Amino acid sequence: TPQQVGEFRYGFGNRSTLQDVVNGNDIPTLRYNTSLCSGSFCNSTIIGTSTNVPINRRQHDHQFVYNHTYTLDKHTLKAGIDQRFQLLDDLTLSALRGFWTFGVLPGVTLADVRNKTPLGFTGWENFLRGVTTAYQKGYGPALAENRFNETNLYFEDKYNLRRDLVLHLGARYEYVGAPREKEDRFSYGYGADNDNIEPRIGFAWSPSFNSGWLHRLTGGIGKSAVRGAYGISHSRLFQSLFSQSGLSL
């Protein structure tokens, strides 16, 4: 109607990253030291396939938005909802490949390495000898079928208090559901965030000085505007935190 307008939008996002290791997803990672230091991870070099593959990730996002505007005399009332449902299926096998480290043996000092004592070998020399100093491997489910949802609501009143003064009064509420794994293979340990009440206040004033230096400064009636606003906003944990950290979170 001339007084009411409704607007509905729907959005769908579809992204995927599918990358395997050509010669097999079970190929281990090899790392050796390149300097004469007495630690397992001093100036290390990695041989072979990148440590962040394989990655098999699919992401779907559904977004439903509805806004309603109602005009009543001096008031323009607005209300709306933004509802999102998100899917993130992540198969990360890099931790399951195994991680071999060839470094200086525990207890060996830099002097041992320099003097070539019986155990004084560098990481590179231990790699050539086939003597490993550390081995890591991940176990457990590699597939995470993550589900997220959030609901955002708002209300605003644009109030034409006077011909030259407009007030904006409103509030926003944001609910972010707890991230969950579809089959309950594990728990991330985060609860829902449901206390995000965010006030909004703003104004727009058009000076109407007829004479004097204020008239010259503002350019005359209807030639300038002074605006100000205040609001509270909240941030959130983004999906990248879960997709990049994987089950190590």
Side-chain angles (χ1 to χ4, degrees):
T1 69
Q3 289 182 305
Q4 296 191 65
V5 176
E7 176 197 21
F8 173 76
R9 298 199 309 271
Y10 167 72
F12 174 67
N14 181 20
R15 293 172 291 279
S16 62
T17 302
L18 306 175
Q19 183 176 356
D20 291 312
V21 180
V22 174
N23 294 320
N25 289 336
D26 57 349
I27 292 179
T29 301
L30 305 180
R31 173 172 52 194
Y32 64 89
N33 296 155
T34 59
S35 63
L36 300 178
C37 64
S38 57
S40 298
F41 307 109
C42 308
N43 298 328
S44 58
T45 295
I46 291 177
I47 298 178
T49 306
S50 173
T51 59
N52 63 350
V53 292
I55 298 176
N56 288 270
R57 181 178 301 145
R58 292 177 173 84
Q59 185 174 349
H60 295 165
D61 299 321
H62 299 270
Q63 183 180 17
F64 301 86
V65 176
Y66 180 74
N67 299 297
H68 196 90
T69 303
Y70 180 68
T71 303
L72 178 64
D73 194 19
K74 294 184 177 182
H75 296 268
T76 300
L77 306 176
K78 293 183 179 181
I81 181 173
D82 177 357
Q83 179 68 55
R84 304 185 184 194
F85 300 98
Q86 299 163 310
L87 171 153
L88 176 61
D89 291 345
D90 208 353
L91 180 66
T92 53
L93 298 171
S94 59
L96 305 184
R97 290 171 49 190
F99 212 131
W100 297 90
T101 299
F102 300 90
V104 178
L105 292 173
V108 175
T109 66
L110 186 58
D112 293 326
V113 174
R114 287 174 175 171
N115 296 327
K116 294 300 178 184
T117 62
L119 296 179
F121 294 96
T122 66
W124 168 246
E125 290 170 333
N126 280 328
F127 169 69
L128 296 177
R129 298 168 63 227
V131 177
T132 183
T133 53
Y135 177 71
Q136 284 180 298
K137 183 176 174 61
Y139 296 90
L143 175 63
E145 295 180 280
N146 300 300
R147 299 297 182 267
F148 312 88
N149 68 85
E150 61 179 81
T151 303
N152 306 300
L153 307 169
Y154 79 92
F155 173 80
E156 180 189 83
D157 180 10
K158 178 184 177 184
Y159 180 29
N160 293 279
L161 186 63
R162 301 199 309 258
R163 182 185 59 84
D164 59 350
L165 180 60
V166 178
L167 297 180
H168 292 264
L169 305 173
R172 181 178 176 89
Y173 172 73
E174 295 189 350
Y175 169 83
V176 180
R180 64 182 182 87
E181 208 284 326
K182 177 184 176 184
E183 302 297 333
D184 293 325
R185 297 179 177 94
F186 51 86
S187 173
Y188 279 122
Y190 289 97
D193 190 4
N194 54 14
D195 59 353
N196 301 315
I197 299 177
E198 305 171 344
R200 300 284 192 268
I201 182 172
F203 73 92
W205 172 54
S206 179
S208 55
F209 300 105
N210 293 316
S211 60
W213 68 272
L214 288 176
H215 172 79
R216 294 191 298 272
L217 178 65
T218 59
I221 299 175
K223 297 294 186 179
S224 60
V226 179
R227 304 177 185 273
Y230 169 81
I232 295 178
S233 300
H234 294 86
S235 187
R236 58 178 42 76
L237 293 174
F238 289 99
Q239 291 186 1
S240 58
L241 173 66
F242 302 95
S243 64
Q244 293 174 9
S245 301
L247 306 188
S248 62
L249 188 66

